[in-house]
């Protein structure tokens, strides 16, 4: 979700807002976040609206998949990682290649459809369809956040519920 993509990616403002809420949810729940930036020298850094405070790692990359040795090492440091949540751009390139590579390593992948886009809706649609057919879970930000707390009695439920209310107000 880098600056140079802003004019080209469909619904960029919406996916930025949803992505920011997901990052807030991750901070609330203490979930580690790994960010990669595709060739930031040419495409710019992550947009200002995305608050990267407290993320575990921010890495530049030229490979489309974000599964880099540094990312694999960071994942290995997190005890019991069985699944990951992906969002960003572009659905049919970086998201798709990352998801397929992670599944190939035995990790369950959840792609947040309302925080993921491409320049072309055709590319986005076919990528999400292909990923779903391979067993990757295509879901929404609200579903992910509520799945993470799993119960209204979760100690952080109210904070997560407030994030969801803000998303619904949009």
């Amino acid at each position: 979700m880098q600056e140079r993509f802003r004019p080209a990616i469909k619904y960029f403002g919406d996916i930025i807002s949803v992505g920011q809420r997901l990052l807030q949810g991750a901070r609330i729940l203490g979930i580690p976040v790994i960010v990669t930036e595709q060739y930031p020298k040419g495409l710019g850094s992550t947009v200002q609206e995305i608050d990267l405070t407290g993320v575990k790692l921010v890495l530049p990359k030229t490979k489309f998949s974000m599964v880099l040795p540094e990312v694999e090492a960071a994942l290995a440091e997190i005890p019991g990682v069985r699944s990951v949540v992906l969002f960003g751009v572009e659905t049919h390139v970086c998201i798709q290649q990352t998801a397929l590579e992670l599944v190939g390593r035995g990790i369950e992948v959840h792609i947040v459809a309302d925080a993921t886009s491409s320049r072309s809706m055709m590319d986005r649609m076919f990528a999400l369809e292909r990923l779903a057919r391979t067993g990757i879970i295509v879901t929404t930000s609200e579903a992910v956040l509520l799945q993470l707390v799993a119960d209204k009695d979760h100690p952080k439920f109210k904070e997560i519920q407030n994030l969801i209310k803000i998303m619904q107000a949009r």
Side-chain angles (χ1 to χ4, degrees):
M1 298 188 182
Q2 295 158 257
E3 201 53 55
R4 283 296 270 292
F5 286 108
R6 189 183 298 271
I9 300 293
K10 302 285 189 218
Y11 308 108
F12 194 77
D14 293 338
I15 67 166
I16 291 298
S17 295
V18 175
Q20 175 57 27
R21 298 274 184 267
L22 287 166
L23 290 176
Q24 287 175 292
R27 272 193 295 278
I28 290 167
L29 297 171
I31 296 169
V33 173
I34 298 171
V35 176
T36 58
E37 296 173 332
Q38 184 68 28
Y39 186 60
K41 187 171 153 187
L43 297 172
S45 296
T46 301
V47 296
Q48 276 187 297
E49 298 95 316
I50 299 279
D51 179 4
L52 298 179
T53 303
V55 303
K56 185 173 180 68
L57 199 56
V58 179
L59 284 172
K61 66 182 181 73
T62 56
K63 178 182 173 186
F64 295 129
S65 169
M66 71 181 286
V67 182
L68 306 168
E70 300 91 337
V71 171
E72 290 186 283
L75 286 172
E77 291 172 7
I78 304 166
V81 171
R82 292 187 322 262
S83 63
V84 299
V85 174
L86 292 178
F87 61 94
V89 298
E90 288 200 76
T91 311
H92 64 295
V93 185
C94 296
I95 297 293
Q96 179 170 264
Q97 289 185 29
T98 301
L100 293 171
E101 209 168 329
L102 288 170
V103 164
R105 287 169 164 70
I107 296 175
E108 180 182 78
V109 176
H110 301 254
I111 295 178
V112 185
D114 55 333
T116 305
S117 193
S118 297
R119 287 170 290 126
S120 153
M121 288 299 95
M122 181 80 69
D123 285 331
R124 178 181 181 273
M125 177 186 72
F126 278 98
L128 291 174
E129 186 179 303
R130 174 187 181 195
L131 293 166
R133 279 196 319 270
T134 63
I136 290 164
I137 299 152
V138 178
T139 187
T140 65
S141 56
E142 183 172 337
V144 164
L145 290 168
L146 290 173
Q147 186 171 351
L148 288 168
V149 293
D151 190 317
K152 85 152 211 61
D153 292 332
H154 187 285
K156 303 287 186 175
F157 172 74
K158 281 287 189 209
E159 288 179 79
I160 296 300
Q161 184 182 42
N162 288 335
L163 280 181
I164 291 168
K165 284 179 183 175
I166 292 166
M167 287 190 295
Q168 289 172 339
R170 294 193 83 244

